[in-house]
Amino acid sequence: MGKNLFIGAACMLSLFHSNLMAQPMAANDEQSQKSSVSTDAEALRIRVVQKVQSSLAENDVPSASIAYIEDGKLAWRYAAGESEPGKKATPDTLYNIASMTKSIVAETVVRLSESGAFAMDDSMASAWVDPDLKDDPRHKLLTPRIALTHRTGLPNWRYLTDNVLKFQSDPGTEFGYSGEGLQYVAHFIENKMGRPLEDLVAETVFRPAGMNETTFTDRPWLDGRIAMSQNKAGEHSFASRRTAWNAADDVWSSSGDYARFMIWVMANPVTTERAATYWIPRDNLKYQICQEGRVSPLLCPKSLGFTAGWTVYDTPENLIVMHGGGDEGEHTLGFFNPVTGNGAVIFTNGANGQKVIRDIVEILLPDPSFVAFTNMQSGG
């Protein structure tokens, strides 16, 4: 589950499952589903269909599932390739979304705070102190906002510090991508609200967003629907079906369900502030890709950072809110522009999935800066 900064960002990026499944959109073929879409959206779908099969083959990725959002609505879904050897992927195939889990938990935290349950800048010490940190007074400085903007000073995972959680810097002083930070705030809201995390997420996010194909932990309805991961050696295996939640990794979802989540986020802002200002990150981290030569200075974004659990990539042409995920045999990305209402979800189940994501982004959002970023993510 180790992830670097922007695999975590672009990696920087249900608990509730109704017996009545959401009614599918009319299918135009076995692997593609669309609603009434504009000419532009249909043209994009055709281009994706034409490109994705060759991209999967060229990059040795078993499958991809894509959901496209236009003007705040789910326009179409498409799946290509095999979810496991000999079995076709469909728009209903479920993928391990890895670090895209973080945005689901972050939205839960932010919306519970907006309801008045606690303040984003409250110390979490009143409800949760990790046993490893109880003797370090700096734990009192940890707040939900610090956790969601990756400024806790904690490592990504505690196995990096000999399986003992330790501060690597003082809370609030510098950026450091941390799954442990999301775990910390998840324990906080469980204790603060006196309810299990999965119940809180279901009530706060999944049900109002209409999500019934997403889960943190094992469910019988996962059987026969999940995509096998393929590692760099070409070996296939099923990712973990957890019996206990992880707030930063390993949720199962369909591309359409995660698209519904992003649509709901856009349609139900937690603030009256303009999207173009609300989403701008406090800490501009673009130097981590621009000054290091990973993205050409000519294509550098105006800003890059975290706001409330999402990665924000702000270019002269687009305000892109996103999160990605990457484990050994899967790579995923979800992004949307809260100003235009357009976006997409792209799930893959291969170690080279970022290259397929890059090829699809070039079609769906041909912003030169963002394409350069996804090309960097893919290794060029």
Side-chain angles (χ1 to χ4, degrees), residues 29-276:
D29 62 46
E30 184 179 1
Q31 297 170 289
S32 183
Q33 296 178 351
K34 60 179 180 173
S35 57
S36 177
V37 299
S38 72
T39 302
D40 288 344
E42 176 62 7
L44 291 174
R45 188 189 70 83
I46 291 171
R47 291 181 61 197
V48 166
V49 171
Q50 292 171 338
K51 178 64 179 179
V52 71
Q53 289 283 8
S54 62
S55 182
L56 292 173
E58 290 166 8
N59 297 298
D60 190 26
V61 175
S63 74
S65 180
I66 306 107
Y68 182 67
I69 300 165
E70 180 185 54
D71 193 24
K73 298 179 179 62
L74 183 57
W76 51 260
R77 295 186 290 159
Y78 177 74
E82 293 185 338
S83 60
E84 59 183 89
K87 183 176 181 179
K88 286 186 176 181
T90 77
D92 295 321
T93 298
L94 305 175
Y95 290 74
N96 176 7
I97 66 172
S99 283
M100 289 175 72
T101 300
K102 294 179 176 70
S103 296
I104 293 172
V105 173
E107 284 295 330
T108 303
V109 173
V110 169
R111 289 165 193 276
L112 287 174
S113 177
E114 288 297 314
S115 75
F118 52 84
M120 290 294 291
D121 296 310
D122 283 348
S123 170
M124 293 190 281
S126 62
W128 171 250
V129 179
D130 189 283
D132 289 353
L133 300 179
K134 62 182 177 59
D135 295 326
D136 190 326
R138 290 178 292 179
H139 73 257
K140 298 177 183 178
L141 301 176
L142 294 172
T143 69
R145 191 184 310 278
I146 283 174
L148 298 189
T149 53
H150 295 279
R151 296 174 60 83
T152 59
L154 299 173
N156 191 10
W157 298 108
R158 69 184 70 203
Y159 72 77
L160 298 170
T161 50
D162 299 321
N163 291 316
V164 177
L165 194 61
K166 301 175 183 177
F167 287 110
Q168 298 182 306
S169 61
D170 292 339
T173 61
E174 61 184 72
F175 173 85
Y177 188 79
S178 177
E180 292 288 354
L182 268 291
Q183 290 283 76
Y184 208 100
V185 73
H187 284 295
F188 165 74
I189 63 172
E190 274 201 331
N191 287 2
K192 185 71 175 180
M193 307 302 294
R195 299 178 59 196
L197 175 71
E198 291 187 275
D199 289 352
L200 292 170
V201 176
E203 182 177 288
T204 308
V205 174
F206 287 168
R207 291 174 188 167
M211 300 170 69
N212 57 15
E213 296 180 330
T214 305
T215 182
F216 285 77
T217 54
D218 196 10
R219 297 288 186 267
W221 48 268
L222 292 175
D223 293 347
R225 295 187 60 192
I226 62 181
M228 294 187 80
S229 304
Q230 179 180 290
N231 65 19
K232 288 187 178 297
E235 300 165 335
H236 296 84
S237 63
F238 287 110
S240 173
R241 291 169 61 162
R242 291 181 176 273
T243 57
W245 56 261
N246 185 316
D249 197 23
D250 287 344
V251 155
W252 294 96
S253 188
S254 68
S255 61
D257 225 35
Y258 206 93
R260 282 184 277 274
F261 167 54
M262 298 196 309
I263 290 167
W264 176 77
V265 169
M266 287 191 282
N268 297 276
V270 295
T271 177
T272 57
E273 189 176 355
R274 292 173 57 247

Side-chain angles (χ1 to χ4, degrees), residues 296-317:
S296 165
L298 296 176
L299 297 174
C300 189
K302 294 189 295 182
S303 63
L304 170 63
F306 280 87
T307 297
W310 294 89
T311 310
V312 180
Y313 194 93
D314 186 26
T315 82
E317 299 181 20

